[in-house]
Amino acid sequence: MSATASAVPDTFRPASAWTAWGQWLALATMTIDHLTRYVAPDSWQLDWAGSSIGRIAFPLFAAMVAWHGLFNTRNPQRYARRILIIGLAAQIPYMMMPRASDALILNVCFTLAAGLAGGAWLRELATRQRRGELAAHWTALGAAATLVVWYLLGDWVEYGHNGLLLIPLLMFAMHHLSQAGSHLSARLLAAAAAFPALWVAGQMNASDMAKSFTVATCLAVLLLAAGAAQRVPPLGTLMPRRLWLAWYPGHFALIAAWLWVMGAASWPLA
């Protein structure tokens, strides 16, 4: 879920070295979550891993998508379409995972792609209105249409309505935090802009432990946007692009194959 180089001026682009570290951490925590949820026997009692380590993955993916969509790509909508392609490739093995309901749920890549598309669209509307290229009523109509799509799509994607909201709110907070400068009033405004993203992050899980890990992950990334990103050293060995793109659908396919083999092995002999 990487992004292309940006044409955005450097003054608007915090350093992005942290995202190389974030890729490894996001894939590791996601894989731990799914292995403990779908593969590890219940007797191992590893539920705590999904409620702690596993709750880092989604907000970290969302934060990286928001960051790249805001700072590192010329075309956020094209970036969203690339994420959607990964989601399409992963949907069938994702649907093979054990779950309580048979209802159709689209995997997290659909959540990330839709959240980015919505956030980029709202940002474009606001920018065009500020430049005088779009009347206020057209901006309001576009925002209302986005709200309708969010409401209708929320029941069909992983992490639901809150998951769809997280990326636009992170983009909003990251923009203000990166532009705050040293003025107290600007810093206070930026801090206020971060609150909605943190509040939504806190609504995404049931247990206090899961809430704390999700909120802490978002808070850490918002601190990076506020200036800490400049202090993150580059990662010497970058993740191969093909590995990054293939990991999500690939690890679900491997888990599905494992579950099928183990299920077949447990069948009684005729």
Side-chain angles (χ1 to χ4, degrees):
M1 300 169 192
S2 57
T4 57
S6 174
V8 181
D10 289 340
T11 54
F12 292 87
R13 295 179 60 207
S16 296
W18 75 269
T19 59
W21 298 90
Q23 286 181 326
W24 289 104
L25 180 59
L27 291 188
T29 53
M30 176 189 69
T31 304
I32 290 171
D33 180 31
H34 293 165
L35 288 177
T36 56
R37 188 187 311 178
Y38 301 125
V39 176
D42 293 338
S43 59
W44 290 9
Q45 298 182 347
L46 293 176
D47 292 347
W48 62 268
S51 297
S52 55
I53 298 171
R55 296 309 95 203
I56 295 173
F58 176 72
L60 188 52
F61 277 120
M64 288 190 290
V65 167
W67 187 283
H68 287 312
L70 187 62
F71 300 122
N72 292 337
T73 181
R74 296 183 181 92
N75 191 333
Q77 302 296 351
R78 183 173 59 187
Y79 177 30
R81 289 194 294 270
R82 293 207 304 270
I83 298 173
L84 186 61
I85 292 173
I86 300 174
L88 290 170
Q91 184 60 24
I92 291 179
Y94 171 77
M95 292 171 63
M96 298 174 69
M97 298 299 103
R99 51 178 48 90
S101 172
D102 292 333
L104 174 63
I105 296 294
L106 301 173
N107 66 67
V108 73
C109 288
F110 290 84
T111 312
L112 296 174
L116 174 59
W121 169 245
L122 291 172
R123 181 171 168 78
E124 181 180 354
L125 289 175
T127 300
R128 292 184 63 186
Q129 183 187 354
R130 187 169 59 249
R131 292 174 178 172
E133 301 172 359
L134 196 65
H137 65 278
W138 288 115
T139 302
L141 182 62
T146 306
L147 185 63
V148 170
V149 173
W150 164 79
Y151 178 78
L152 295 176
L153 189 59
D155 291 330
W156 294 91
V157 295
E158 195 172 6
Y159 292 100
H161 291 97
N162 288 326
L164 290 171
L165 274 178
L166 188 58
I167 291 178
L169 293 177
L170 285 173
M171 293 175 72
F172 178 74
M174 288 172 178
H175 169 75
H176 284 282
L177 288 166
S178 66
Q179 303 301 309
S182 58
H183 294 91
L184 177 60
S185 59
R187 286 182 174 272
L188 290 174
L189 177 63
F195 175 76
L198 296 175
W199 185 84
V200 166
Q203 306 306 306
M204 293 180 60
N205 299 284
S207 72
D208 290 340
M209 179 183 289
K211 289 176 184 290
S212 63
F213 272 81
T214 301
V215 172
T217 302
C218 290
L219 179 59
V221 177
L222 293 178
L223 291 173
L224 290 169
Q230 309 301 122
R231 301 180 177 86
V232 177
L235 183 63
T237 303
L238 299 179
M239 179 176 293
R241 178 177 172 81
R242 290 183 179 179
L243 177 63
W244 173 244
L245 297 177
W247 191 288
Y248 185 72
H251 91 287
F252 270 137
L254 289 175
I255 292 174
W258 171 261
L259 293 175
W260 181 84
V261 169
M262 295 306 294
S266 66
W267 292 344
L269 296 177

